[in-house]
Short mmCIF file of all heavy atoms in Angstrom, two decimals:
data_model
loop_
_atom_site.label_atom_id
_atom_site.label_comp_id
_atom_site.label_asym_id
_atom_site.label_seq_id
_atom_site.Cartn_x
_atom_site.Cartn_y
_atom_site.Cartn_z
N MET A 1 43.57 165.24 130.86
CA MET A 1 42.47 164.64 130.13
C MET A 1 42.95 163.47 129.29
O MET A 1 42.18 162.66 128.79
CB MET A 1 41.77 165.68 129.19
CG MET A 1 40.81 166.53 129.93
SD MET A 1 39.41 165.61 130.67
CE MET A 1 38.40 165.23 129.28
N THR A 2 44.30 163.42 129.06
CA THR A 2 44.79 162.36 128.24
C THR A 2 45.09 161.10 129.04
O THR A 2 45.55 160.15 128.41
CB THR A 2 46.03 162.81 127.50
OG1 THR A 2 47.03 163.22 128.42
CG2 THR A 2 45.73 163.99 126.54
N ASP A 3 44.88 161.13 130.27
CA ASP A 3 45.31 159.99 131.12
C ASP A 3 44.67 158.71 130.63
O ASP A 3 45.35 157.67 130.50
CB ASP A 3 44.91 160.22 132.54
CG ASP A 3 45.92 161.11 133.26
OD1 ASP A 3 46.91 161.57 132.55
OD2 ASP A 3 45.74 161.41 134.48
N ILE A 4 43.37 158.75 130.42
CA ILE A 4 42.74 157.53 130.03
C ILE A 4 43.08 157.04 128.68
O ILE A 4 43.24 155.88 128.38
CB ILE A 4 41.17 157.68 130.14
CG1 ILE A 4 40.48 156.34 130.19
CG2 ILE A 4 40.64 158.62 129.06
CD1 ILE A 4 39.09 156.30 130.62
N ILE A 5 43.44 158.03 127.81
CA ILE A 5 43.90 157.67 126.46
C ILE A 5 45.31 157.07 126.49
O ILE A 5 45.58 156.04 125.83
CB ILE A 5 43.88 158.90 125.52
CG1 ILE A 5 42.40 159.36 125.31
CG2 ILE A 5 44.54 158.58 124.21
CD1 ILE A 5 42.28 160.63 124.62
N ASP A 6 46.12 157.61 127.36
CA ASP A 6 47.44 157.00 127.51
C ASP A 6 47.36 155.59 128.08
O ASP A 6 48.01 154.72 127.65
CB ASP A 6 48.33 157.89 128.55
CG ASP A 6 48.76 159.13 127.85
OD1 ASP A 6 48.73 159.25 126.63
OD2 ASP A 6 49.17 160.07 128.55
N GLN A 7 46.46 155.45 129.08
CA GLN A 7 46.24 154.09 129.66
C GLN A 7 45.80 153.11 128.59
O GLN A 7 46.25 151.97 128.52
CB GLN A 7 45.16 154.20 130.73
CG GLN A 7 45.72 154.42 132.06
CD GLN A 7 44.71 154.38 133.22
OE1 GLN A 7 43.53 154.42 132.91
NE2 GLN A 7 45.09 154.18 134.46
N ALA A 8 44.88 153.55 127.72
CA ALA A 8 44.33 152.71 126.69
C ALA A 8 45.45 152.26 125.74
O ALA A 8 45.58 151.11 125.38
CB ALA A 8 43.18 153.40 125.97
N ALA A 9 46.28 153.26 125.44
CA ALA A 9 47.42 152.90 124.50
C ALA A 9 48.39 151.90 125.12
O ALA A 9 48.85 150.97 124.51
CB ALA A 9 48.11 154.19 124.11
N ASP A 10 48.63 152.11 126.44
CA ASP A 10 49.53 151.18 127.12
C ASP A 10 48.89 149.80 127.18
O ASP A 10 49.59 148.86 126.96
CB ASP A 10 49.73 151.66 128.60
CG ASP A 10 50.65 152.87 128.65
OD1 ASP A 10 51.31 153.21 127.61
OD2 ASP A 10 50.81 153.42 129.68
N THR A 11 47.68 149.74 127.47
CA THR A 11 46.98 148.46 127.60
C THR A 11 46.93 147.78 126.20
O THR A 11 47.23 146.62 126.08
CB THR A 11 45.51 148.65 128.03
OG1 THR A 11 45.51 149.39 129.28
CG2 THR A 11 44.84 147.32 128.21
N GLU A 12 46.72 148.56 125.13
CA GLU A 12 46.73 147.98 123.82
C GLU A 12 48.06 147.41 123.51
O GLU A 12 48.18 146.33 122.86
CB GLU A 12 46.33 149.02 122.78
CG GLU A 12 45.94 148.39 121.48
CD GLU A 12 46.22 149.30 120.35
OE1 GLU A 12 46.49 150.52 120.55
OE2 GLU A 12 46.17 148.88 119.16
N ALA A 13 49.14 148.14 123.83
CA ALA A 13 50.46 147.68 123.51
C ALA A 13 50.75 146.34 124.23
O ALA A 13 51.36 145.43 123.72
CB ALA A 13 51.52 148.67 123.93
N LEU A 14 50.31 146.26 125.54
CA LEU A 14 50.47 145.06 126.25
C LEU A 14 49.79 143.85 125.65
O LEU A 14 50.39 142.80 125.50
CB LEU A 14 49.92 145.20 127.72
CG LEU A 14 50.87 145.94 128.73
CD1 LEU A 14 50.10 146.11 130.06
CD2 LEU A 14 52.09 145.13 128.88
N TRP A 15 48.56 144.13 125.21
CA TRP A 15 47.78 143.10 124.60
C TRP A 15 48.41 142.62 123.26
O TRP A 15 48.44 141.43 122.95
CB TRP A 15 46.31 143.48 124.34
CG TRP A 15 45.54 143.29 125.61
CD1 TRP A 15 45.12 144.29 126.45
CD2 TRP A 15 45.11 142.07 126.19
NE1 TRP A 15 44.43 143.73 127.52
CE2 TRP A 15 44.36 142.39 127.40
CE3 TRP A 15 45.23 140.74 125.85
CZ2 TRP A 15 43.80 141.42 128.17
CZ3 TRP A 15 44.63 139.72 126.64
CH2 TRP A 15 43.97 140.10 127.83
N ARG A 16 48.89 143.63 122.55
CA ARG A 16 49.48 143.28 121.22
C ARG A 16 50.72 142.39 121.44
O ARG A 16 50.89 141.40 120.75
CB ARG A 16 49.83 144.57 120.48
CG ARG A 16 50.27 144.27 119.08
CD ARG A 16 50.57 145.55 118.35
NE ARG A 16 49.35 146.49 118.41
CZ ARG A 16 49.44 147.79 118.17
NH1 ARG A 16 50.57 148.32 117.92
NH2 ARG A 16 48.37 148.47 118.23
N GLU A 17 51.50 142.79 122.46
CA GLU A 17 52.77 142.04 122.72
C GLU A 17 52.36 140.57 123.13
O GLU A 17 52.94 139.63 122.72
CB GLU A 17 53.47 142.72 123.84
CG GLU A 17 54.91 142.27 124.03
CD GLU A 17 55.54 143.08 125.16
OE1 GLU A 17 55.57 144.32 125.05
OE2 GLU A 17 56.13 142.44 126.06
N ALA A 18 51.32 140.51 123.99
CA ALA A 18 50.94 139.18 124.46
C ALA A 18 50.40 138.35 123.36
O ALA A 18 50.73 137.18 123.26
CB ALA A 18 49.83 139.37 125.58
N SER A 19 49.64 138.91 122.47
CA SER A 19 49.05 138.17 121.38
C SER A 19 50.12 137.73 120.37
O SER A 19 50.05 136.65 119.80
CB SER A 19 47.96 138.92 120.64
OG SER A 19 48.51 140.03 119.91
N GLN A 20 51.18 138.53 120.25
CA GLN A 20 52.22 138.17 119.33
C GLN A 20 53.01 136.95 119.98
O GLN A 20 53.46 136.07 119.21
CB GLN A 20 53.19 139.32 119.12
CG GLN A 20 52.62 140.31 118.05
CD GLN A 20 53.43 141.54 117.94
OE1 GLN A 20 54.33 141.76 118.75
NE2 GLN A 20 53.15 142.30 116.91
N LYS A 21 53.13 136.96 121.26
CA LYS A 21 53.79 135.83 121.87
C LYS A 21 52.98 134.55 121.75
O LYS A 21 53.46 133.46 121.52
CB LYS A 21 53.97 136.10 123.42
CG LYS A 21 55.21 137.02 123.59
CD LYS A 21 55.39 137.27 125.10
CE LYS A 21 56.51 138.31 125.30
NZ LYS A 21 56.51 138.84 126.67
N LEU A 22 51.60 134.73 121.83
CA LEU A 22 50.77 133.59 121.68
C LEU A 22 50.77 133.06 120.21
O LEU A 22 50.64 131.88 119.95
CB LEU A 22 49.26 134.04 122.00
CG LEU A 22 49.00 134.13 123.48
CD1 LEU A 22 47.61 134.58 123.76
CD2 LEU A 22 49.20 132.77 124.20
N ARG A 23 50.94 134.00 119.31
CA ARG A 23 50.96 133.56 117.88
C ARG A 23 52.19 132.83 117.58
O ARG A 23 52.30 132.05 116.65
CB ARG A 23 50.84 134.82 117.00
CG ARG A 23 49.42 135.29 116.86
CD ARG A 23 49.46 136.61 116.11
NE ARG A 23 50.00 136.51 114.76
CZ ARG A 23 49.32 136.22 113.71
NH1 ARG A 23 48.04 136.10 113.81
NH2 ARG A 23 49.90 136.13 112.53
N HIS A 24 53.29 133.06 118.39
CA HIS A 24 54.55 132.34 118.13
C HIS A 24 55.01 131.68 119.39
O HIS A 24 55.99 132.07 119.95
CB HIS A 24 55.63 133.33 117.65
CG HIS A 24 55.25 133.95 116.30
ND1 HIS A 24 55.39 133.23 115.12
CD2 HIS A 24 54.75 135.15 115.94
CE1 HIS A 24 55.02 133.96 114.12
NE2 HIS A 24 54.61 135.15 114.59
N PRO A 25 54.30 130.68 119.84
CA PRO A 25 54.69 129.99 121.06
C PRO A 25 55.94 129.17 120.80
O PRO A 25 56.34 128.95 119.65
CB PRO A 25 53.45 129.05 121.29
CG PRO A 25 52.86 128.79 119.94
CD PRO A 25 53.09 130.09 119.19
N ALA A 26 56.57 128.76 121.85
CA ALA A 26 57.74 127.87 121.73
C ALA A 26 57.32 126.70 120.86
O ALA A 26 56.27 126.15 121.00
CB ALA A 26 58.23 127.46 123.06
N GLY A 27 58.22 126.33 119.96
CA GLY A 27 57.87 125.16 119.09
C GLY A 27 58.93 125.08 118.01
O GLY A 27 60.07 125.55 118.19
N PRO A 28 58.58 124.45 116.93
CA PRO A 28 59.63 124.28 115.92
C PRO A 28 59.99 125.51 115.22
O PRO A 28 59.23 126.50 115.15
CB PRO A 28 58.89 123.35 114.91
CG PRO A 28 57.44 123.64 115.15
CD PRO A 28 57.33 123.93 116.62
N THR A 29 61.20 125.58 114.63
CA THR A 29 61.66 126.72 113.93
C THR A 29 61.09 126.69 112.51
O THR A 29 61.04 125.64 111.92
CB THR A 29 63.19 126.67 113.81
OG1 THR A 29 63.70 126.38 115.15
CG2 THR A 29 63.80 128.02 113.41
N PRO A 30 60.66 127.86 112.03
CA PRO A 30 60.22 127.95 110.64
C PRO A 30 61.28 127.45 109.70
O PRO A 30 62.42 127.92 109.78
CB PRO A 30 59.89 129.41 110.39
CG PRO A 30 59.75 130.01 111.74
CD PRO A 30 60.65 129.19 112.69
N ASN A 31 60.89 126.58 108.79
CA ASN A 31 61.90 126.10 107.83
C ASN A 31 61.42 126.04 106.41
O ASN A 31 61.97 125.37 105.50
CB ASN A 31 62.45 124.69 108.26
CG ASN A 31 61.33 123.63 108.23
OD1 ASN A 31 60.20 123.97 107.87
ND2 ASN A 31 61.61 122.42 108.57
N GLY A 32 60.24 126.77 106.18
CA GLY A 32 59.74 126.89 104.82
C GLY A 32 58.77 125.75 104.49
O GLY A 32 58.28 125.73 103.36
N ALA A 33 58.58 124.80 105.41
CA ALA A 33 57.70 123.71 105.16
C ALA A 33 56.78 123.49 106.32
O ALA A 33 57.20 123.70 107.43
CB ALA A 33 58.47 122.41 104.87
N CYS A 34 55.56 123.12 106.09
CA CYS A 34 54.64 122.77 107.18
C CYS A 34 55.18 121.63 108.02
O CYS A 34 55.64 120.63 107.48
CB CYS A 34 53.26 122.36 106.52
SG CYS A 34 52.10 121.77 107.78
N HIS A 35 55.17 121.85 109.27
CA HIS A 35 55.77 120.81 110.17
C HIS A 35 54.86 119.61 110.33
O HIS A 35 55.28 118.57 110.88
CB HIS A 35 56.05 121.42 111.55
CG HIS A 35 57.21 122.33 111.60
ND1 HIS A 35 58.49 121.86 111.81
CD2 HIS A 35 57.39 123.65 111.40
CE1 HIS A 35 59.39 122.82 111.72
NE2 HIS A 35 58.71 123.96 111.41
N PHE A 36 53.63 119.75 109.87
CA PHE A 36 52.73 118.58 109.99
C PHE A 36 52.68 117.80 108.65
O PHE A 36 52.85 116.59 108.64
CB PHE A 36 51.34 119.06 110.38
CG PHE A 36 50.41 117.91 110.60
CD1 PHE A 36 50.55 117.07 111.66
CD2 PHE A 36 49.35 117.69 109.66
CE1 PHE A 36 49.69 115.99 111.83
CE2 PHE A 36 48.44 116.59 109.89
CZ PHE A 36 48.68 115.76 110.97
N CYS A 37 52.41 118.44 107.56
CA CYS A 37 52.25 117.75 106.29
C CYS A 37 53.35 117.97 105.29
O CYS A 37 53.43 117.27 104.28
CB CYS A 37 50.86 118.13 105.71
SG CYS A 37 50.85 119.74 104.96
N GLY A 38 54.29 118.87 105.58
CA GLY A 38 55.42 119.06 104.68
C GLY A 38 55.16 119.97 103.54
O GLY A 38 56.03 120.20 102.70
N GLU A 39 53.98 120.48 103.40
CA GLU A 39 53.63 121.46 102.36
C GLU A 39 54.47 122.71 102.47
O GLU A 39 54.84 123.11 103.54
CB GLU A 39 52.12 121.84 102.50
CG GLU A 39 51.58 122.47 101.30
CD GLU A 39 51.22 121.48 100.16
OE1 GLU A 39 51.02 120.26 100.53
OE2 GLU A 39 51.23 121.86 99.01
N THR A 40 54.82 123.24 101.35
CA THR A 40 55.63 124.45 101.37
C THR A 40 54.82 125.61 101.87
O THR A 40 53.70 125.85 101.49
CB THR A 40 56.10 124.82 99.92
OG1 THR A 40 56.85 123.74 99.46
CG2 THR A 40 56.95 126.06 99.95
N VAL A 41 55.38 126.34 102.86
CA VAL A 41 54.76 127.50 103.42
C VAL A 41 55.69 128.64 103.44
O VAL A 41 56.94 128.48 103.34
CB VAL A 41 54.22 127.28 104.89
CG1 VAL A 41 53.14 126.25 104.87
CG2 VAL A 41 55.32 126.88 105.80
N THR A 42 55.16 129.86 103.54
CA THR A 42 56.00 131.06 103.55
C THR A 42 56.55 131.30 104.96
O THR A 42 55.71 131.41 105.90
CB THR A 42 55.21 132.29 103.00
OG1 THR A 42 54.59 131.91 101.83
CG2 THR A 42 56.16 133.48 102.78
N GLU A 43 57.83 131.40 105.15
CA GLU A 43 58.28 131.83 106.52
C GLU A 43 57.77 133.22 106.83
O GLU A 43 57.64 134.00 105.92
CB GLU A 43 59.84 131.80 106.47
CG GLU A 43 60.43 130.39 106.36
CD GLU A 43 61.88 130.33 106.62
OE1 GLU A 43 62.35 131.01 107.55
OE2 GLU A 43 62.60 129.72 105.85
N PRO A 44 57.44 133.46 108.12
CA PRO A 44 57.73 132.63 109.25
C PRO A 44 56.69 131.66 109.61
O PRO A 44 56.63 131.19 110.77
CB PRO A 44 57.87 133.73 110.36
CG PRO A 44 56.90 134.75 109.96
CD PRO A 44 56.85 134.74 108.44
N LEU A 45 55.82 131.32 108.69
CA LEU A 45 54.77 130.31 108.97
C LEU A 45 55.44 128.98 109.18
O LEU A 45 56.43 128.65 108.61
CB LEU A 45 53.76 130.24 107.84
CG LEU A 45 52.92 131.49 107.53
CD1 LEU A 45 51.99 131.26 106.41
CD2 LEU A 45 52.19 131.92 108.76
N ARG A 46 54.78 128.20 110.10
CA ARG A 46 55.35 126.86 110.39
C ARG A 46 54.35 125.77 109.96
O ARG A 46 54.73 124.60 109.96
CB ARG A 46 55.70 126.80 111.85
CG ARG A 46 56.85 127.76 112.17
CD ARG A 46 57.08 127.79 113.63
NE ARG A 46 56.01 128.39 114.39
CZ ARG A 46 56.11 128.57 115.64
NH1 ARG A 46 57.10 128.25 116.40
NH2 ARG A 46 55.05 129.15 116.25
N TRP A 47 53.15 126.17 109.71
CA TRP A 47 52.10 125.18 109.24
C TRP A 47 51.25 125.89 108.20
O TRP A 47 51.22 127.08 108.09
CB TRP A 47 51.21 124.78 110.42
CG TRP A 47 51.92 124.17 111.53
CD1 TRP A 47 52.24 122.80 111.65
CD2 TRP A 47 52.51 124.73 112.74
NE1 TRP A 47 52.95 122.58 112.79
CE2 TRP A 47 53.13 123.73 113.47
CE3 TRP A 47 52.54 126.02 113.23
CZ2 TRP A 47 53.75 123.94 114.68
CZ3 TRP A 47 53.14 126.28 114.40
CH2 TRP A 47 53.78 125.21 115.19
N CYS A 48 50.53 125.06 107.39
CA CYS A 48 49.74 125.65 106.37
C CYS A 48 48.59 126.46 106.96
O CYS A 48 48.22 127.56 106.46
CB CYS A 48 49.00 124.59 105.50
SG CYS A 48 49.96 123.11 105.25
N ASP A 49 47.99 125.87 108.01
CA ASP A 49 46.85 126.53 108.61
C ASP A 49 46.62 126.00 109.99
O ASP A 49 47.43 125.24 110.51
CB ASP A 49 45.58 126.26 107.75
CG ASP A 49 45.31 124.82 107.53
OD1 ASP A 49 45.76 124.01 108.28
OD2 ASP A 49 44.65 124.48 106.56
N GLU A 50 45.54 126.49 110.62
CA GLU A 50 45.22 126.13 112.04
C GLU A 50 45.09 124.62 112.15
O GLU A 50 45.47 124.05 113.20
CB GLU A 50 44.00 126.79 112.58
CG GLU A 50 43.98 128.31 112.37
CD GLU A 50 43.54 128.77 110.99
OE1 GLU A 50 42.77 127.98 110.34
OE2 GLU A 50 44.00 129.81 110.55
N ASN A 51 44.51 123.97 111.16
CA ASN A 51 44.24 122.54 111.26
C ASN A 51 45.60 121.78 111.33
O ASN A 51 45.74 120.86 112.19
CB ASN A 51 43.47 122.02 110.08
CG ASN A 51 42.05 122.62 110.09
OD1 ASN A 51 41.51 122.83 111.12
ND2 ASN A 51 41.53 122.85 108.89
N CYS A 52 46.55 122.10 110.47
CA CYS A 52 47.84 121.46 110.59
C CYS A 52 48.52 121.71 111.89
O CYS A 52 49.12 120.83 112.51
CB CYS A 52 48.68 121.86 109.37
SG CYS A 52 48.43 120.97 107.91
N ARG A 53 48.44 123.02 112.34
CA ARG A 53 49.08 123.31 113.60
C ARG A 53 48.44 122.56 114.71
O ARG A 53 49.16 122.05 115.55
CB ARG A 53 48.90 124.84 113.87
CG ARG A 53 49.66 125.30 115.13
CD ARG A 53 49.10 126.57 115.62
NE ARG A 53 47.67 126.46 115.86
CZ ARG A 53 46.83 127.46 115.89
NH1 ARG A 53 47.17 128.65 115.64
NH2 ARG A 53 45.50 127.25 116.16
N ASP A 54 47.09 122.50 114.78
CA ASP A 54 46.44 121.79 115.87
C ASP A 54 46.77 120.32 115.81
O ASP A 54 47.01 119.70 116.85
CB ASP A 54 44.91 122.02 115.76
CG ASP A 54 44.54 123.42 116.12
OD1 ASP A 54 45.44 124.22 116.64
OD2 ASP A 54 43.38 123.85 115.85
N ASP A 55 46.77 119.75 114.64
CA ASP A 55 47.09 118.29 114.49
C ASP A 55 48.53 118.05 114.95
O ASP A 55 48.82 117.06 115.64
CB ASP A 55 46.88 117.83 113.06
CG ASP A 55 45.43 117.74 112.70
OD1 ASP A 55 44.60 117.85 113.58
OD2 ASP A 55 45.11 117.62 111.49
N TRP A 56 49.42 118.98 114.58
CA TRP A 56 50.80 118.79 114.97
C TRP A 56 50.95 118.90 116.45
O TRP A 56 51.61 118.08 117.09
CB TRP A 56 51.68 119.92 114.30
CG TRP A 56 53.10 119.79 114.71
CD1 TRP A 56 54.09 119.07 114.08
CD2 TRP A 56 53.76 120.45 115.77
NE1 TRP A 56 55.29 119.24 114.71
CE2 TRP A 56 55.07 120.08 115.77
CE3 TRP A 56 53.33 121.38 116.76
CZ2 TRP A 56 56.03 120.55 116.71
CZ3 TRP A 56 54.24 121.79 117.73
CH2 TRP A 56 55.58 121.45 117.69
N GLN A 57 50.30 119.89 117.04
CA GLN A 57 50.38 120.05 118.51
C GLN A 57 49.74 118.85 119.24
O GLN A 57 50.25 118.46 120.31
CB GLN A 57 49.59 121.33 118.91
CG GLN A 57 50.46 122.60 118.69
CD GLN A 57 49.73 123.85 119.11
OE1 GLN A 57 48.56 123.88 119.12
NE2 GLN A 57 50.55 124.91 119.29
N ALA A 58 48.68 118.30 118.64
CA ALA A 58 48.08 117.10 119.33
C ALA A 58 49.03 115.95 119.36
O ALA A 58 48.84 115.08 120.21
CB ALA A 58 46.80 116.77 118.54
N ARG A 59 49.97 115.90 118.49
CA ARG A 59 50.91 114.76 118.44
C ARG A 59 52.10 115.02 119.28
O ARG A 59 53.01 114.15 119.40
CB ARG A 59 51.35 114.55 116.98
CG ARG A 59 50.17 114.01 116.15
CD ARG A 59 50.63 113.62 114.77
NE ARG A 59 49.50 113.12 114.00
CZ ARG A 59 49.68 112.30 113.01
NH1 ARG A 59 50.83 111.92 112.60
NH2 ARG A 59 48.60 111.89 112.37
N GLN A 60 52.31 116.23 119.82
CA GLN A 60 53.45 116.52 120.62
C GLN A 60 53.22 115.93 122.03
O GLN A 60 52.12 115.94 122.53
CB GLN A 60 53.73 118.01 120.75
CG GLN A 60 54.00 118.70 119.39
CD GLN A 60 54.99 117.89 118.58
OE1 GLN A 60 56.12 117.76 119.08
NE2 GLN A 60 54.64 117.41 117.42
N PRO A 61 54.29 115.50 122.64
CA PRO A 61 54.17 115.02 124.04
C PRO A 61 53.78 116.21 124.91
O PRO A 61 54.21 117.36 124.63
CB PRO A 61 55.55 114.52 124.39
CG PRO A 61 56.46 114.91 123.33
CD PRO A 61 55.65 115.31 122.10
N ARG A 62 53.06 115.98 125.92
CA ARG A 62 52.65 117.13 126.80
C ARG A 62 53.86 117.67 127.47
O ARG A 62 54.62 116.94 128.04
CB ARG A 62 51.68 116.58 127.86
CG ARG A 62 50.47 115.94 127.30
CD ARG A 62 49.35 117.04 127.05
NE ARG A 62 48.25 116.45 126.32
CZ ARG A 62 47.60 117.12 125.39
NH1 ARG A 62 47.97 118.25 124.98
NH2 ARG A 62 46.58 116.52 124.76
N SER A 63 53.99 119.02 127.39
CA SER A 63 55.20 119.64 127.98
C SER A 63 55.01 119.95 129.47
O SER A 63 55.85 120.16 130.19
CB SER A 63 55.54 120.90 127.25
OG SER A 63 54.37 121.78 127.24
N THR A 64 53.70 120.03 129.89
CA THR A 64 53.38 120.29 131.32
C THR A 64 53.14 119.03 132.04
O THR A 64 52.22 118.36 131.75
CB THR A 64 52.23 121.29 131.42
OG1 THR A 64 51.15 120.72 130.67
CG2 THR A 64 52.54 122.67 130.92
N PRO A 65 54.04 118.69 133.01
CA PRO A 65 53.84 117.50 133.79
C PRO A 65 52.55 117.66 134.68
O PRO A 65 52.31 118.76 135.12
CB PRO A 65 55.06 117.42 134.67
CG PRO A 65 55.66 118.81 134.69
CD PRO A 65 55.19 119.45 133.42
N ARG A 66 51.90 116.62 134.89
CA ARG A 66 50.72 116.66 135.75
C ARG A 66 51.10 116.72 137.21
O ARG A 66 51.94 116.00 137.66
CB ARG A 66 49.84 115.42 135.52
CG ARG A 66 49.16 115.46 134.22
CD ARG A 66 48.50 114.11 133.90
NE ARG A 66 48.12 114.06 132.51
CZ ARG A 66 46.88 114.34 132.07
NH1 ARG A 66 46.01 114.77 132.94
NH2 ARG A 66 46.58 114.28 130.82
ZN1 ZN B 1 50.27 121.36 106.57
#
């Protein structure tokens, strides 16, 4: 009877792992300052917020060749 519960736990672990990878994609190393505006941030943060991250990413050269 626990099969489906075990499956759910496994699936949840997979998703959690995947989301953690998504939260920390390849990019700059945390250095205590926002990589976009230079504002002090708490490590392991690399930007103040989503806006700074998105703006920073928008300025990066495309890593995937067409
Ligand atoms: Zn910032």
Side-chain angles (χ1 to χ4, degrees):
M1 280 300 282
T2 58
D3 281 359
I4 197 164
I5 294 173
D6 287 345
Q7 267 186 342
D10 286 350
T11 305
E12 194 208 350
L14 278 177
W15 278 106
R16 187 177 306 160
E17 195 177 306
S19 70
Q20 279 170 352
K21 283 180 185 166
L22 283 176
R23 284 170 59 90
H24 294 285
T29 314
N31 63 2
C34 173
H35 284 273
F36 183 69
C37 72
E39 195 78 24
T40 302
V41 294
T42 312
E43 291 189 45
L45 296 180
R46 295 175 292 183
W47 298 275
C48 325
D49 55 23
E50 305 84 26
N51 294 328
C52 274
R53 184 201 58 204
D54 290 347
D55 288 347
W56 179 88
Q57 280 178 338
R59 292 187 180 203
Q60 299 312 298
R62 301 273 174 220
S63 54
T64 49
R66 288 170 194 265

